[in-house]
Amino acid sequence: MIGGLFIYNHKGEVLISRVYRDDIGRNAVDAFRVNVIHARQQVRSPVSNIARTSFFHVKRSNIWLAAVTKQNVNATMVFEFLYKMCDVMAAYFGKISEENVKNNFVLIYELLDEILDFGYPQNSETGALKTFITQQGIKSQHHSKEEQSQITSQVTGQIGWRREGIKYRRNELFLDVLESVNLLMSPQGQVLSAHVSGRVVMKSYLSGMPECKFGMNDKIVIDKQGKTGSTEDGAKSGKQSIAIDDCTFHQCVRLSKFDSERSISFIPPDGDYELMRYRTTKDIILPFRVIPLVREVGRTKLEVKVVIKSNFKSSLLAQKIEVRIPTPLNTSGVQLICMKGKAKYKASENAIVWKVKRMAGMKESQISAEIELLPTNDKKKWARPPISMNFEVPFAPSGLKVRYLKVFEPKLNYSDHDVIKWVRYIGRSGIYETRC
Amino acid sequence: MTDSKYFTTTKKGEIFELKAELNSDKKEKKKEAVKKVIASMTVGKDVSALFPDVVNCMQTDNLELKKLVYLYLMNYAKSQPDMAIMAVNTFVKDCEDPNPLIRALAVRTMGCIRVDKITEYLCEPLRKCLKDEDPYVRKTAAVCVAKLHDINAQLVEDQGFLDTLKDLISDSNPMVVANAVAALSEIAESHPNSNLLDLNPQTINKLLTALNECTEWGQIFILDCLANYTPRDDRESQSICERVTPRLSHANSAVVLSAVKVLMKFMEMLPKDLDYYGTLLKKLAPPLVTLLSAEPELQYVALRNINLIVQRRPEILKHEMKVFFVKYNDPIYVKLEKLDIMIRLASQANIAQVLAELKEYATEVDVDFVRKAVRAIGRCAIKVEQSAERCVSTLLDLIQTKVNYVVQEAIVVIKDIFRKYPNKYESVIATLCENLDSLDEPEARAAMIWIVGEYAERIDNADELLESFLEGFHDESTQVQLQLLTAIVKLFLKKPTETQELVQQVLSLATQDSDNPDLRDRGYIYWRLLSTDPVAAKEVVLAEKPLISEETDLIEPTLLEELICHIGTLASVYHKPPSAFVEGSRGVQHKRLPGSAGSGESVESPDTGSAAGVSEAPPAVIPSQGDLLEDLLNLDLTPPTTTGPPPPASSGMQMGAMDLLGGGLDSLLGGDLGGGPAMGTGFGAPPAAMPASFNVPVSGGLDDLFDLGGGVGMPMGVFNPPKTVWLPAMKAKGLEISGTFVRRAGVIQMEMTLTNKAMSVMTDFAIQFNRNSFGLAPAGPLQVLTPLSPNQSIEAALPLSTVGPVMKMEPLNNLQVAVKNNIDVFYFSCQYPISMLFAEDGKMERQVFLATWKDIPNDNESQFQIKDCHLNSDAASNKLQGSNIFTIAKRTVEGQDMLYQSMKLTNGIWVLAELRVQAGNPNYTISLKCRAPEVSQCVFQNYEMVLKN
């Protein structure tokens, strides 16, 4: 299991060092600094073995988190734990920066004591942790006996993510379908790979221990229902349903029920959480198409023309559109003409960045650029990195629709109808690239 | 309030000031001071001098302060054991506190205080906490048992904590169950033979129930534990799989991968024609693909695992090629891994897409990545015949770019393409020759030289080309030197008239002016071959080469099986068994996959053939370890010095060498035979018989060659333990020695790898043994001829005799060794398998056996159990025979096979054995009878080792 956990600043100075196992000595702290943080080359692997000790690291802005072990640990678990640790710290004190880590080092030690025992991860749900690990460090002593046992049963219980006795005057929930659409297209406009990775993120303010059921236009469910109706209906509804390649759920969702009935039922955590993640690859609506045209004019000039076409209902508006056209390292000057928005050549980033604030569906826009090159004797050809694009659209490119979210709380005096529900769809670009 | 100020105090006299503050009456000031102490501790300052003062702050009702003091205690208790005892009272008191959080805190902390005197005081509180009414305390106490076991295993057993821990598996709280499982698994790992984690259908059922209810981390502990279970039959296996599959939808990747591990393992037991088997295969693909949308570090771990899964069951992901396409912004470690998997998944169906991608990658920036992409194009050519032509033309395009490393990489792969498709693409040789001058990497130079040698008859100026390399012969790396030597010999055999001078030159360079033993050996062999029988030489050197394999870098099947059992763990990331990177007893246990259903008899060799490759035929892995014989035929370009087995010091060879030197150059073509008789017969062997030796599992280097000639084949399946580290570099000023013992044709050898991990050159090696139980002693000096430079490894084989002074050791097979070099003398001890001492003439006559068995008093008989051995009696008998344990008779009574076996130790002691094997029962019973009963334990261990490997 995890033998120790260290946090370093960008210089490699150790900010937190917690050792759980006897086989990890103080020299491990230095070994990582010397061999990884101070190493000249770029990091070639997130797992390194130095002197028969294995180091797992992740980086958050300038801060390095490293878990150390001498055993054959579950590597996936170690990384999952490191991310979780980052989440927990962020939930307590915001951004993970050197200053924040130093300001909260006592708290961090307290957390590390609680969520890792002898290197075994324990309950790390912030909701539960916040009930007894507080920044003041005083609250814990004033718990009554009932409160104490409530805390411990929550931390160890079946529903570790929610405590009992939550009350809201207004029962309300917010449901966001956030999708990121990824594309890799060939210069000729052929889709090399495309997929949507989506998340259903919720904020729930519900009283008691509500039982929720979430429904969407999952092809498998719809087809099952379609079988009972006429075949024509099935074909019709088939169009609106989507094929989900795979999905994963928050630990509150009853997985065995999903496996057998494909129904998503759960008792939600209080406040923010991510209910599910999913991935689709079929029938994706690609919101934009990028058509590049690059022409080399002699050895010192490039002509680039890029057309973007929006491919969705004309009543909808895409926002925050940004097209990034890479330029060669020996670029000396760039002249730009664009029909819409603003374009700029950023020498430090070796790219032309074209920004358009808004664009409606079924439209088209164009940028042309003349790139002057310095003559070089460098034999190596320019690698022509792909043109990438960013945007945000108010629909789900996968076609996912929320059909219902039902709330039952038999013990308390409110019904499904009394809950105010908000649903929102946001589609963003993930890695949306076209080769040129 | 910010805490960062605590990090800034660096002035002198700080300790003194802190001391005063710690003893202050004001609570706030005390707390401030403790925080400063912890901050100093974090940055590595020694604040142990404040021990008594900090411990004094322990008695407080401020929980935050208490936790800080505990943190300090955990760090320094070991260095101040006497003072630490002051803390015991507080711990005991806290364990009785009405607040469960404080009780748990106390039990959690005290387990981390590694002071013997203290641990004893803590047994009572721990016992209470294990039965606490609050689950939070119980789950903490469960982990504490594992901590205590790590400090003092005996104490834990004596106090009966293990039983209490086992009871917790039935606890009503899922988190307590999970932690108990984690603790028990860890303890069981250090007791490989204990039946601690008594997994049976009832406990499995409990675990599966808890699986649905506990935290994500608990699910991982439980799944990892489940993976160690072997279901009784395919139905149980299927029902467990059914209950595990829902985990594939968990948001935590570790839960997913651990579930994949359980499924991959239990699938082995399902009949392939079962519907459920197909369903399961389909269910595995989507979650694996989803892992690739996780954070890059997790992607990396997932990809390393997918690499294993694809090798074991290629059908799972064969349609998912696209998801492994490299993204421009992927970190380099993700890119390289994806590329690996792309090559593995390449097939006729997707080759066009794959090639288009690879061509893109070959223009990227990262050198390693580009090289790998170029190499991948070559691999595709070899794997998918239909694409070979396009691959070759793509490679030629890349050569035209003249980017140095691209050209070199391309030449290396083209060499393999020539091997795979002889007489097809030789037209490109001219283009390759144009780039001769730009090659500066050994591998590329060696590949080019191979091509020139192989096609010498088609290249008009082959002799000029090779001669140009010869000028700087001594500056070349070993790999190139070996290749050049062979290429020139090939050239000579093809065009003998013009190249006689050239071949003489290279042979003398290799044999007289080089201090590399491999080069010299190869030189002498060619020399002798050429001088003895040029026709035979032609047949050997220009022999038809065996087919090249389609797959590269395939993991050897048994290792792959073991790694599949370690999915998700570090072993699967490193692609090495845990024993390769874990110290001590943990993880040394080798795991293996269960046998498939309905093939109870043949379980010993789970159908690795059909599973490892797409086709039925087992893929021939391109050997990365140079078998010397293959080296001679030049099938391998890696220098044998780094990985190959050490060439055994053969006296025949040495004699021959001396002779040759004496004979001088004139003997080259003169037909002067000289040399020992062994040599003569060795080389006289018909070359047709040679390929047979490729199957000999233990490559014996030169010995093999001689053995073939003499008609003495190596017994199949001899088990030699792998090398283990005997002397770690830390203990020997940078000298690391790993080694093993082998017995080959009656000669015991100690094979060692000496590695210099220090900064300076090591010379003057010598070795000596302490007196030992069987009189083992070096039969000659330690042959380390060349100085060992930093970061270099050298193989040394030391023949042993058994006539040295005798002294009984404990354990019996212990050997204490002293190694000297120019730096110091170092001591280590190692244990040799007793089978090294089993003589070849250990087969007793039946009658004698019966009489001896009766004659030995029953008191001398000892009985042992060998657990989990899935061989049938015949296979076991064959395996044992390889270690000179001879089966004299076999009797079958009521479905039970009784094997009667004998073995003879080098000092004349006979050991008689009766091995009982029952079909379907993996547990063997063995009775050993011997006049010197003290060897029985050793012999038993040896049985176990041989049978399980």
Side-chain angles (χ1 to χ4, degrees), chain A residues 172-210:
Chain A
E172 195 170 14
L173 62 84
F174 300 85
L175 194 153
D176 285 347
V177 176
L178 305 176
E179 294 198 337
S180 92
V181 52
N182 298 278
L183 169 76
L184 183 63
M185 195 176 255
S186 76
Q188 292 76 32
Q190 187 195 1
V191 177
L192 295 174
S193 76
H195 76 272
V196 167
S197 54
R199 304 188 298 147
V200 177
V201 176
M202 292 186 60
K203 236 183 248 179
S204 58
Y205 304 111
L206 301 169
S207 312
M209 295 297 258

Short mmCIF file of all heavy atoms in Angstrom, two decimals, chain A residues 172-210:
data_model
loop_
_atom_site.label_atom_id
_atom_site.label_comp_id
_atom_site.label_asym_id
_atom_site.label_seq_id
_atom_site.Cartn_x
_atom_site.Cartn_y
_atom_site.Cartn_z
N GLU A 172 -35.14 21.77 -4.29
CA GLU A 172 -34.77 22.24 -5.60
C GLU A 172 -33.64 21.40 -6.13
O GLU A 172 -32.78 20.96 -5.36
CB GLU A 172 -34.31 23.70 -5.47
CG GLU A 172 -34.25 24.45 -6.75
CD GLU A 172 -34.03 25.95 -6.49
OE1 GLU A 172 -33.67 26.32 -5.35
OE2 GLU A 172 -34.21 26.72 -7.41
N LEU A 173 -33.62 21.17 -7.42
CA LEU A 173 -32.42 20.52 -7.97
C LEU A 173 -32.08 21.04 -9.35
O LEU A 173 -32.94 21.43 -10.11
CB LEU A 173 -32.53 19.00 -7.94
CG LEU A 173 -33.59 18.25 -8.70
CD1 LEU A 173 -33.16 18.04 -10.14
CD2 LEU A 173 -33.78 16.89 -8.05
N PHE A 174 -30.77 21.07 -9.62
CA PHE A 174 -30.25 21.56 -10.89
C PHE A 174 -29.53 20.41 -11.58
O PHE A 174 -28.73 19.72 -10.96
CB PHE A 174 -29.24 22.68 -10.66
CG PHE A 174 -29.81 23.86 -9.94
CD1 PHE A 174 -29.88 23.88 -8.55
CD2 PHE A 174 -30.28 24.95 -10.65
CE1 PHE A 174 -30.41 24.96 -7.89
CE2 PHE A 174 -30.82 26.03 -9.99
CZ PHE A 174 -30.89 26.05 -8.60
N LEU A 175 -29.85 20.25 -12.85
CA LEU A 175 -29.23 19.14 -13.57
C LEU A 175 -28.57 19.71 -14.83
O LEU A 175 -29.23 20.35 -15.64
CB LEU A 175 -30.33 18.15 -13.93
CG LEU A 175 -29.90 16.77 -14.40
CD1 LEU A 175 -30.99 15.79 -14.07
CD2 LEU A 175 -29.58 16.75 -15.85
N ASP A 176 -27.27 19.51 -14.94
CA ASP A 176 -26.55 19.98 -16.12
C ASP A 176 -26.05 18.80 -16.92
O ASP A 176 -25.41 17.90 -16.36
CB ASP A 176 -25.33 20.82 -15.72
CG ASP A 176 -25.74 22.20 -15.23
OD1 ASP A 176 -26.91 22.56 -15.44
OD2 ASP A 176 -24.89 22.89 -14.65
N VAL A 177 -26.35 18.81 -18.20
CA VAL A 177 -25.74 17.81 -19.08
C VAL A 177 -24.57 18.52 -19.76
O VAL A 177 -24.77 19.43 -20.56
CB VAL A 177 -26.75 17.30 -20.12
CG1 VAL A 177 -26.07 16.34 -21.09
CG2 VAL A 177 -27.91 16.63 -19.42
N LEU A 178 -23.35 18.14 -19.38
CA LEU A 178 -22.17 18.80 -19.94
C LEU A 178 -21.47 17.82 -20.87
O LEU A 178 -21.10 16.73 -20.45
CB LEU A 178 -21.21 19.19 -18.81
CG LEU A 178 -21.79 20.04 -17.70
CD1 LEU A 178 -20.75 20.26 -16.62
CD2 LEU A 178 -22.27 21.37 -18.25
N GLU A 179 -21.31 18.21 -22.11
CA GLU A 179 -20.67 17.28 -23.03
C GLU A 179 -19.43 17.91 -23.65
O GLU A 179 -19.39 19.11 -23.87
CB GLU A 179 -21.65 16.91 -24.15
CG GLU A 179 -22.82 16.13 -23.64
CD GLU A 179 -23.55 15.39 -24.73
OE1 GLU A 179 -23.44 15.79 -25.90
OE2 GLU A 179 -24.24 14.41 -24.39
N SER A 180 -18.44 17.08 -23.86
CA SER A 180 -17.33 17.60 -24.66
C SER A 180 -17.20 16.72 -25.87
O SER A 180 -17.18 15.49 -25.79
CB SER A 180 -16.06 17.68 -23.82
OG SER A 180 -15.32 16.54 -23.94
N VAL A 181 -17.21 17.39 -27.02
CA VAL A 181 -17.22 16.64 -28.28
C VAL A 181 -15.81 16.67 -28.86
O VAL A 181 -15.17 17.72 -28.93
CB VAL A 181 -18.31 17.19 -29.24
CG1 VAL A 181 -18.19 18.67 -29.44
CG2 VAL A 181 -18.23 16.49 -30.59
N ASN A 182 -15.32 15.48 -29.19
CA ASN A 182 -13.95 15.35 -29.68
C ASN A 182 -13.95 14.89 -31.11
O ASN A 182 -14.74 14.03 -31.50
CB ASN A 182 -13.21 14.30 -28.84
CG ASN A 182 -13.13 14.72 -27.40
OD1 ASN A 182 -12.28 15.49 -27.02
ND2 ASN A 182 -14.07 14.22 -26.60
N LEU A 183 -13.05 15.47 -31.87
CA LEU A 183 -13.02 15.14 -33.29
C LEU A 183 -11.59 15.15 -33.80
O LEU A 183 -10.78 15.99 -33.42
CB LEU A 183 -13.85 16.18 -34.06
CG LEU A 183 -13.71 16.14 -35.59
CD1 LEU A 183 -14.51 14.97 -36.13
CD2 LEU A 183 -14.16 17.43 -36.21
N LEU A 184 -11.31 14.21 -34.66
CA LEU A 184 -10.07 14.27 -35.43
C LEU A 184 -10.45 14.04 -36.88
O LEU A 184 -11.00 13.01 -37.23
CB LEU A 184 -9.07 13.21 -34.95
CG LEU A 184 -7.71 13.26 -35.66
CD1 LEU A 184 -7.01 14.57 -35.38
CD2 LEU A 184 -6.84 12.11 -35.20
N MET A 185 -10.20 15.08 -37.71
CA MET A 185 -10.66 15.01 -39.09
C MET A 185 -9.45 15.10 -40.03
O MET A 185 -8.49 15.79 -39.73
CB MET A 185 -11.62 16.17 -39.34
CG MET A 185 -12.43 16.01 -40.60
SD MET A 185 -13.61 17.35 -40.73
CE MET A 185 -15.12 16.57 -40.31
N SER A 186 -9.52 14.39 -41.11
CA SER A 186 -8.43 14.43 -42.08
C SER A 186 -8.55 15.72 -42.90
O SER A 186 -9.62 16.33 -42.93
CB SER A 186 -8.49 13.21 -42.98
OG SER A 186 -9.52 13.40 -43.92
N PRO A 187 -7.50 16.14 -43.59
CA PRO A 187 -7.58 17.38 -44.38
C PRO A 187 -8.69 17.29 -45.43
O PRO A 187 -9.24 18.31 -45.84
CB PRO A 187 -6.21 17.47 -45.06
CG PRO A 187 -5.32 16.58 -44.28
CD PRO A 187 -6.16 15.54 -43.64
N GLN A 188 -9.02 16.07 -45.84
CA GLN A 188 -10.04 15.93 -46.87
C GLN A 188 -11.45 15.92 -46.29
O GLN A 188 -12.42 15.77 -47.03
CB GLN A 188 -9.82 14.62 -47.64
CG GLN A 188 -8.56 14.58 -48.49
CD GLN A 188 -7.31 14.39 -47.65
OE1 GLN A 188 -7.35 13.73 -46.61
NE2 GLN A 188 -6.21 15.01 -48.05
N GLY A 189 -11.57 16.06 -45.01
CA GLY A 189 -12.89 16.15 -44.41
C GLY A 189 -13.46 14.81 -43.99
O GLY A 189 -14.64 14.66 -43.75
N GLN A 190 -12.57 13.82 -43.86
CA GLN A 190 -13.04 12.50 -43.43
C GLN A 190 -12.89 12.40 -41.91
O GLN A 190 -11.85 12.81 -41.37
CB GLN A 190 -12.17 11.47 -44.13
CG GLN A 190 -12.62 10.06 -43.94
CD GLN A 190 -11.52 9.09 -44.35
OE1 GLN A 190 -10.42 9.49 -44.74
NE2 GLN A 190 -11.83 7.82 -44.22
N VAL A 191 -13.93 11.91 -41.25
CA VAL A 191 -13.86 11.81 -39.80
C VAL A 191 -12.98 10.62 -39.42
O VAL A 191 -13.30 9.48 -39.71
CB VAL A 191 -15.27 11.63 -39.20
CG1 VAL A 191 -15.19 11.46 -37.69
CG2 VAL A 191 -16.13 12.82 -39.54
N LEU A 192 -11.84 10.90 -38.79
CA LEU A 192 -10.94 9.83 -38.39
C LEU A 192 -11.39 9.24 -37.07
O LEU A 192 -11.38 8.04 -36.88
CB LEU A 192 -9.50 10.34 -38.27
CG LEU A 192 -8.88 10.82 -39.58
CD1 LEU A 192 -7.53 11.44 -39.33
CD2 LEU A 192 -8.75 9.66 -40.55
N SER A 193 -11.77 10.10 -36.17
CA SER A 193 -12.36 9.59 -34.94
C SER A 193 -13.19 10.71 -34.33
O SER A 193 -12.84 11.89 -34.45
CB SER A 193 -11.30 9.10 -33.96
OG SER A 193 -10.68 10.19 -33.34
N ALA A 194 -14.30 10.34 -33.73
CA ALA A 194 -15.15 11.32 -33.08
C ALA A 194 -15.82 10.64 -31.91
O ALA A 194 -16.24 9.50 -32.02
CB ALA A 194 -16.19 11.85 -34.05
N HIS A 195 -15.82 11.30 -30.81
CA HIS A 195 -16.62 10.78 -29.71
C HIS A 195 -17.03 11.91 -28.77
O HIS A 195 -16.43 12.98 -28.78
CB HIS A 195 -15.86 9.69 -28.95
CG HIS A 195 -14.78 10.21 -28.05
ND1 HIS A 195 -13.50 10.43 -28.48
CD2 HIS A 195 -14.80 10.57 -26.75
CE1 HIS A 195 -12.77 10.89 -27.48
NE2 HIS A 195 -13.52 10.98 -26.42
N VAL A 196 -18.10 11.64 -28.02
CA VAL A 196 -18.56 12.60 -27.04
C VAL A 196 -18.32 12.02 -25.68
O VAL A 196 -18.66 10.86 -25.43
CB VAL A 196 -20.06 12.90 -27.22
CG1 VAL A 196 -20.60 13.65 -26.02
CG2 VAL A 196 -20.30 13.66 -28.49
N SER A 197 -17.66 12.77 -24.80
CA SER A 197 -17.65 12.30 -23.43
C SER A 197 -18.47 13.29 -22.62
O SER A 197 -18.23 14.49 -22.65
CB SER A 197 -16.22 12.16 -22.89
OG SER A 197 -15.53 13.35 -23.06
N GLY A 198 -19.49 12.76 -21.99
CA GLY A 198 -20.45 13.63 -21.32
C GLY A 198 -20.51 13.37 -19.83
O GLY A 198 -20.05 12.33 -19.35
N ARG A 199 -21.01 14.37 -19.12
CA ARG A 199 -21.17 14.22 -17.68
C ARG A 199 -22.54 14.75 -17.30
O ARG A 199 -23.00 15.75 -17.87
CB ARG A 199 -20.12 15.05 -16.94
CG ARG A 199 -18.69 14.71 -17.34
CD ARG A 199 -17.70 15.42 -16.45
NE ARG A 199 -17.81 16.86 -16.56
CZ ARG A 199 -17.59 17.71 -15.55
NH1 ARG A 199 -17.30 17.24 -14.35
NH2 ARG A 199 -17.68 19.00 -15.73
N VAL A 200 -23.17 14.09 -16.37
CA VAL A 200 -24.41 14.65 -15.82
C VAL A 200 -24.05 15.15 -14.42
O VAL A 200 -23.69 14.37 -13.55
CB VAL A 200 -25.52 13.59 -15.74
CG1 VAL A 200 -26.76 14.18 -15.09
CG2 VAL A 200 -25.83 13.07 -17.13
N VAL A 201 -24.08 16.47 -14.26
CA VAL A 201 -23.66 17.07 -13.00
C VAL A 201 -24.89 17.62 -12.30
O VAL A 201 -25.73 18.26 -12.93
CB VAL A 201 -22.65 18.20 -13.27
CG1 VAL A 201 -22.27 18.89 -11.98
CG2 VAL A 201 -21.42 17.64 -13.95
N MET A 202 -25.00 17.32 -11.01
CA MET A 202 -26.19 17.77 -10.31
C MET A 202 -25.86 18.60 -9.09
O MET A 202 -24.79 18.49 -8.50
CB MET A 202 -27.03 16.56 -9.89
CG MET A 202 -27.63 15.85 -11.08
SD MET A 202 -28.74 14.54 -10.62
CE MET A 202 -29.98 15.39 -9.71
N LYS A 203 -26.83 19.43 -8.75
CA LYS A 203 -26.77 20.16 -7.50
C LYS A 203 -28.12 19.86 -6.87
O LYS A 203 -29.15 20.17 -7.48
CB LYS A 203 -26.69 21.66 -7.82
CG LYS A 203 -25.51 22.36 -7.21
CD LYS A 203 -25.60 23.82 -7.53
CE LYS A 203 -24.48 24.18 -8.49
NZ LYS A 203 -24.48 25.56 -8.89
N SER A 204 -28.14 19.20 -5.73
CA SER A 204 -29.46 18.93 -5.18
C SER A 204 -29.59 19.52 -3.80
O SER A 204 -28.68 19.42 -2.98
CB SER A 204 -29.74 17.43 -5.19
OG SER A 204 -28.77 16.75 -4.46
N TYR A 205 -30.70 20.16 -3.58
CA TYR A 205 -31.04 20.70 -2.27
C TYR A 205 -32.36 20.08 -1.88
O TYR A 205 -33.43 20.64 -2.10
CB TYR A 205 -31.13 22.23 -2.33
CG TYR A 205 -29.86 22.85 -2.86
CD1 TYR A 205 -29.82 23.47 -4.10
CD2 TYR A 205 -28.68 22.81 -2.10
CE1 TYR A 205 -28.64 24.02 -4.59
CE2 TYR A 205 -27.51 23.37 -2.58
CZ TYR A 205 -27.49 23.96 -3.82
OH TYR A 205 -26.33 24.50 -4.29
N LEU A 206 -32.31 18.87 -1.36
CA LEU A 206 -33.51 18.12 -1.07
C LEU A 206 -33.52 17.72 0.40
O LEU A 206 -32.47 17.42 0.97
CB LEU A 206 -33.57 16.85 -1.93
CG LEU A 206 -33.55 17.05 -3.45
CD1 LEU A 206 -33.34 15.72 -4.16
CD2 LEU A 206 -34.83 17.71 -3.92
N SER A 207 -34.68 17.68 0.98
CA SER A 207 -34.78 17.33 2.40
C SER A 207 -34.82 15.81 2.58
O SER A 207 -35.24 15.08 1.69
CB SER A 207 -36.06 17.92 2.99
OG SER A 207 -36.18 19.27 2.63
N GLY A 208 -34.39 15.38 3.74
CA GLY A 208 -34.49 13.97 4.12
C GLY A 208 -33.56 13.08 3.33
O GLY A 208 -32.47 13.49 2.94
N MET A 209 -33.98 11.83 3.13
CA MET A 209 -33.19 10.87 2.37
C MET A 209 -33.95 10.49 1.11
O MET A 209 -34.54 9.41 1.01
CB MET A 209 -32.94 9.61 3.23
CG MET A 209 -32.10 9.84 4.45
SD MET A 209 -30.44 10.38 4.03
CE MET A 209 -29.53 8.90 4.27
N PRO A 210 -33.99 11.39 0.13
CA PRO A 210 -34.85 11.15 -1.04
C PRO A 210 -34.29 10.05 -1.94
O PRO A 210 -33.09 9.92 -2.10
CB PRO A 210 -34.84 12.49 -1.77
CG PRO A 210 -33.55 13.11 -1.38
CD PRO A 210 -33.23 12.63 0.00
#
